[in-house]
């Protein structure tokens, strides 16, 4: 099977501190890949490499390759704005813009050049349907997004991505600000979205990784220790450190 | 303990005397200015452009128009450059440059207004006279000088408003593939909107109240200016120019001009305050 994304010998330095070491990550299309590991091991850093968000931090240096559909994302021919459209990101804390629900979802399409009103209406409706928000919000499209519940806000942030028809969704602990019921619903949504997109989710919650993902990657101190099918990683880890982490011996 | 109480008492007395001083000034201005407004009738006083103190005609309409024109011009210039500078400093310049430039701009506020006026007379007025025509002393000259004078206020408050926008909004937009400029225009300026409005209103307050620099470059003629190249007189200039020799009803009319200014500036400050309260509420809401 073709890989959707791949990193090869990826190293990342924050100034003198090396946060990623020779990471080889593989992301399959239409599957959920979970990145697990203790806090500070480099999960978010790795995720932010995939849409080049790390470059916004000063003194960051990377070596190695990152491929999207086999093409290097640092290639001159790959425009940064179109890379970020294709590889979208959901943040830990829901961060809808201080605009209306409609303008939040229409933001991406507008930024990428869609101005036609009827077309935007259709895109917004589809994107809200994709995250099951349409029925809840169709009459509140013009009310401020910041007035929604945290769960609705996080769904809205996902709709905002769906509206630009991405290929990969990066999610950095997307449920950490949500209660268990909201978490379960967002997980359900992720499973549905995985029919269309490759999803990479960072979580330090192992149960969540086991529940939603089909592939799991375990990281420790900047190293990618072990990767494989989720069931295999949890039932039959090959590396001793993976086993120790899964059995709860790290925090 | 005892010392604490004494200090608290002293501080209370100073605070109270400062407040009562301000209250007394207010009462004084209104007591001196209100009678003539009531005598002439508000309509006549505010809406007649006939200001001939020797003949007992006191209409400040042309000065109201002068103040409005000069202030509006100053705001156009001050907002374009002040907000532009704030956007460059917060969104595009490296943080180290912003850390140097913002205090420099704020320093401009410390230059005495007579210096701005002098610069205007020496450079700007001849330039306008030679290039654009008219006497040079004009609405335009006053607008430009005032526009520069409000820059520190407008820039510094706009910078604060833009910096107070949570970084997560910015990241969310960039992560969607928006450019920096799109992010600024579509997210940052909207999120900072009420702070920017407050910046504009406070800048306006400065512009309405400024006197010395305006007297030096505006020409001060008592007529409704027909174009931006025509000279004009503002409410503040009127008081400063005539108070020295005014007596009787004339003096009262100048106090009434002061009352008018006082009310305009109070309204501007109240609006600014309520807008910035609203922005604080919006922030806590997040
Ligand atoms: N902007 C930064 N500057 C310097 N060091 C950073 C920065 N961001 C993260 N780090 C460091 O890199 C390591 C990995 O961080 P991160 O990727 O956030 O870990 P995780 O998401 O797994 O908790 C940590 O040791 C962290 O302190
Ligand atoms: Mg993290």
């Amino acid at each position: 099977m073709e890989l959707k994304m791949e990193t090869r010998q990826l190293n990342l330095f924050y100034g003198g501190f090396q946060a990623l070491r020779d990471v080889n990550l593989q992301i399959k299309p239409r599957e959920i890949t979970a990145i697990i590991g203790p806090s500070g091991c480099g999960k978010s850093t790795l995720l932010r490499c995939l849409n080049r968000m790390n470059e916004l931090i000063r003194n960051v240096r990377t070596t190695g390759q990152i491929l999207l559909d086999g093409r290097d994302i640092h290639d001159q021919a790959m425009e940064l704005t179109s890379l970020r459209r294709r590889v979208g990101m959901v943040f830990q804390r829901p961060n809808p813009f201080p605009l209306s629900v409609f303008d939040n979802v229409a933001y991406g399409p507008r930024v990428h050049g869609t101005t036609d009103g009827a077309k935007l209406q259709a895109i917004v409706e589809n994107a809200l349907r994709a995250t099951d928000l349409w029925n809840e919000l169709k009459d509140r499209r013009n009310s401020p997004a910041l007035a929604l519940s945290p769960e609705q806000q996080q769904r809205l942030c996902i709709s905002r991505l769906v509206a630009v028809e991405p290929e990969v969704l990066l999610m950095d602990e997307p449920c950490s600000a949500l209660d268990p019921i909201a978490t379960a619903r967002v997980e359900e949504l992720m499973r549905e979205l995985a029919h269309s997109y490759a999803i990479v989710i960072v979580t330090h919650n192992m149960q969540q990784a086991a529940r939603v993902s089909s592939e799991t990657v375990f990281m420790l101190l900047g190293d990618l220790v072990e990767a494989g099918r989720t069931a295999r990683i949890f039932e039959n880890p090959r590396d001793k450190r993976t086993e120790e982490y899964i059995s709860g011996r790290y925090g | 303990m005892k010392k604490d109480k004494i200090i608290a008492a002293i501080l209370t007395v100073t605070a109270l005397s400062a407040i009562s001083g301000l209250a007394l000034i207010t009462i004084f201005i209104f007591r001196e200015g209100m009678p003539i407004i009531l005598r002439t009738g508000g309509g006549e006083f505010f809406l007649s452009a006939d200001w001939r103190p020797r003949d007992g005609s006191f209409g400040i309409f042309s000065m109201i128009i002068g103040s409005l024109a000069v202030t509006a011009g100053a705001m156009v210039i001050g907002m374009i450059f002040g907000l532009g500078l704030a956007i460059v400093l917060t969104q595009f310049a490296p943080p180290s440059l912003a850390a140097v430039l913002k205090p420099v701009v704020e320093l401009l506020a410390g230059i005495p207004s007579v210096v701005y006026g002098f610069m205007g007379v020496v450079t700007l007025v001849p330039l306008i006279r030679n290039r654009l025509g008219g006497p040079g002393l004009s609405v335009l000259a006053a607008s430009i000088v005032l526009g520069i004078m409000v820059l520190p206020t407008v820039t510094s408050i706009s910078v604060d408003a833009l910096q107070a926008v949570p970084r997560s909004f910015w990241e969310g937009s960039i992560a969607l593939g928006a450019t920096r400029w799109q992010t600024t225009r579509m997210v940052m300026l909207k999120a900072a909107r009420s702070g920017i409005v407050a910046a504009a209103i406070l800048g306006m307050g400065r512009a309405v109240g400024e006197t010395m620099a305006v007297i030096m470059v505006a020409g001060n003629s008592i007529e409704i200016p027909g174009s931006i190249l025509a000279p004009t007189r503002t409410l503040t200039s009127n008081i400063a120019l005539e108070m020295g020799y005014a007596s009787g009803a004339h003096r009262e009319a100048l106090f009434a001009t002061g009352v008018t200014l006082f009310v305009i500036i109070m309204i501007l400050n109240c609006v600014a305050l309520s807008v910035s309260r609203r922005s604080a509420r919006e922030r806590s809401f997040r």
Side-chain angles (χ1 to χ4, degrees):
Chain A
M1 184 161 53
E2 290 272 308
L3 291 175
K4 187 68 200 173
M5 286 196 91
E6 187 180 3
T7 72
R8 293 188 181 157
Q9 300 296 111
L10 181 66
N11 289 282
L12 183 140
F13 303 84
Y14 289 116
F17 172 74
Q18 183 163 11
L20 298 176
R21 296 166 204 280
D22 291 334
V23 170
N24 295 302
L25 173 73
Q26 304 194 325
I27 295 161
K28 294 178 178 158
R30 297 196 192 78
E31 293 207 359
I32 301 180
T33 305
I35 304 178
I36 60 171
S39 178
C41 68
K43 305 181 296 292
S44 300
T45 301
L46 176 57
L47 200 67
R48 293 163 62 89
C49 285
L50 301 179
N51 64 349
R52 297 180 59 184
M53 286 296 280
N54 278 326
E55 290 170 24
L56 299 167
I57 303 167
R58 273 174 306 160
N59 296 323
V60 170
R61 194 164 55 82
T62 57
T63 66
Q65 273 190 313
I66 305 172
L67 306 180
L68 172 61
D69 287 334
R71 282 181 51 208
D72 196 323
I73 65 169
H74 292 96
D75 211 61
Q76 286 287 312
M78 178 100 66
E79 272 198 54
L80 193 51
T81 52
S82 81
L83 167 71
R84 290 187 180 139
R85 187 189 65 69
R86 293 171 64 188
V87 183
M89 184 165 231
V90 177
F91 295 80
Q92 195 163 349
R93 286 176 55 108
N95 61 345
F97 304 129
L99 308 171
S100 69
V101 168
F102 182 91
D103 287 339
N104 262 277
V105 183
Y107 187 86
R110 279 179 176 145
V111 155
H112 293 286
T114 309
T115 49
D116 183 75
K119 216 183 224 169
L120 284 173
Q121 294 282 355
I123 291 174
V124 170
E125 176 171 345
N126 280 335
L128 288 174
R129 282 189 193 284
T131 60
D132 268 344
L133 276 177
W134 178 252
N135 286 330
E136 284 164 62
L137 296 185
K138 64 179 172 217
D139 302 321
R140 292 165 64 191
R141 271 171 292 176
N142 294 320
S143 51
L146 292 174
L148 303 179
S149 73
E151 184 210 338
Q152 288 175 323
Q153 290 191 10
Q154 197 58 301
R155 282 170 180 270
L156 185 69
C157 290
I158 298 171
S159 301
R160 197 165 73 178
L161 293 182
V162 169
V164 295
E165 302 178 346
E167 297 162 31
V168 182
L169 293 184
L170 310 174
M171 303 189 172
D172 194 348
E173 307 195 21
C175 300
S176 63
L178 305 182
D179 64 46
I181 293 169
T183 299
R185 292 177 49 182
V186 171
E187 286 175 4
E188 181 54 40
L189 170 61
M190 289 168 59
R191 278 186 218 103
E192 269 163 42
L193 293 173
H195 296 305
S196 326
Y197 312 106
I199 296 181
V200 187
I201 174 175
V202 162
T203 174
H204 60 237
N205 177 337
M206 279 182 287
Q207 287 77 31
Q208 182 170 56
R211 279 194 304 264
V212 299
S213 71
S214 45
E215 292 278 317
T216 294
V217 173
F218 171 61
M219 291 183 67
L220 192 59
L221 296 172
D223 288 313
L224 193 160
V225 174
E226 187 170 354
R229 301 303 290 176
T230 298
R232 206 273 295 153
I233 294 270
F234 278 90
E235 281 154 27
N236 192 9
R238 294 191 184 127
D239 196 290
K240 198 161 165 298
R241 291 168 291 173
T242 317
E243 188 186 340
E244 283 176 349
Y245 180 71
I246 286 169
S247 59
R249 246 168 284 174
Y250 299 96
Chain B
M1 274 292 88
K2 204 172 161 205
K3 212 165 145 196
D4 273 7
K5 269 190 190 147
I6 295 171
I7 291 174
I10 293 174
L11 287 178
T12 313
V13 170
T14 26
L16 284 181
S17 41
I19 292 171
S20 45
L22 288 174
L24 281 178
I25 291 173
T26 311
I27 292 170
F28 179 72
I29 295 174
F30 273 82
R31 209 197 56 189
E32 297 290 309
M34 282 315 283
I36 192 163
I37 297 180
L38 298 176
R39 263 203 326 273
T40 357
E44 174 74 14
F45 185 76
F46 295 117
L47 297 180
S48 148
D50 196 12
W51 176 268
R52 278 178 292 121
R54 250 172 306 179
D55 309 339
S57 319
F58 301 107
I60 61 170
F61 189 63
S62 64
M63 272 83 87
I64 292 179
I65 295 297
S67 276
L68 287 181
V70 163
T71 303
M75 289 324 291
V76 170
I77 291 163
M79 283 312 282
I80 290 174
F81 288 94
L83 186 56
L85 194 55
I87 288 172
V88 171
L89 288 182
T90 57
Q91 309 299 312
F92 295 95
S96 51
L97 183 65
V100 176
L101 271 182
K102 191 186 171 223
V104 168
V105 173
E106 282 168 356
L107 220 60
L108 290 178
I111 299 176
S113 59
V114 68
V115 175
Y116 285 99
F118 181 68
M119 298 285 286
V121 170
V122 172
T123 59
L124 196 59
V125 168
L127 194 73
I128 292 174
R129 185 168 51 227
N130 298 334
R131 288 291 157 82
L132 303 173
L137 299 165
S138 57
V139 174
L140 181 63
S143 297
I144 294 174
V145 169
L146 278 178
I148 295 170
M149 290 180 73
V150 301
L151 271 187
T153 312
V154 171
T155 308
S156 145
I157 297 173
S158 302
V159 164
D160 291 345
L162 283 165
Q163 279 175 344
V165 176
R167 189 173 159 84
S168 62
F169 292 164
W170 184 84
E171 279 188 327
S173 170
I174 295 289
L176 270 169
T179 62
R180 271 170 191 261
W181 172 237
Q182 286 171 327
T183 304
T184 302
R185 193 163 48 84
M186 296 167 72
V187 176
M188 304 305 283
L189 287 178
K190 289 213 172 116
R193 186 174 38 203
S194 40
I196 290 167
V197 171
I201 295 170
L202 288 175
M204 217 183 285
R206 271 216 72 184
V208 175
E210 176 51 43
T211 313
M212 181 48 82
V214 182
I215 289 181
M216 293 170 77
V217 299
N220 304 322
S221 68
I222 307 170
E223 58 202 301
I224 297 174
S227 84
I228 58 169
L229 296 176
T232 191
R233 178 184 287 205
T234 64
L235 293 166
T236 50
S237 312
N238 193 42
I239 301 173
L241 288 166
E242 299 190 2
M243 197 48 121
Y245 60 85
S247 62
H250 185 193
R251 185 169 168 279
E252 279 183 69
L254 293 180
F255 269 104
T257 313
V259 169
T260 312
L261 263 173
F262 187 97
V263 171
I264 292 175
I265 289 174
M266 283 309 270
I267 290 172
L268 286 179
N269 280 345
C270 288
V271 174
L273 205 65
S274 81
V275 170
S276 63
R277 286 241 176 87
R278 178 144 51 91
S279 75
R281 257 210 314 284
E282 277 164 14
R283 269 204 288 287
S284 64
F285 185 54
R286 284 164 202 151

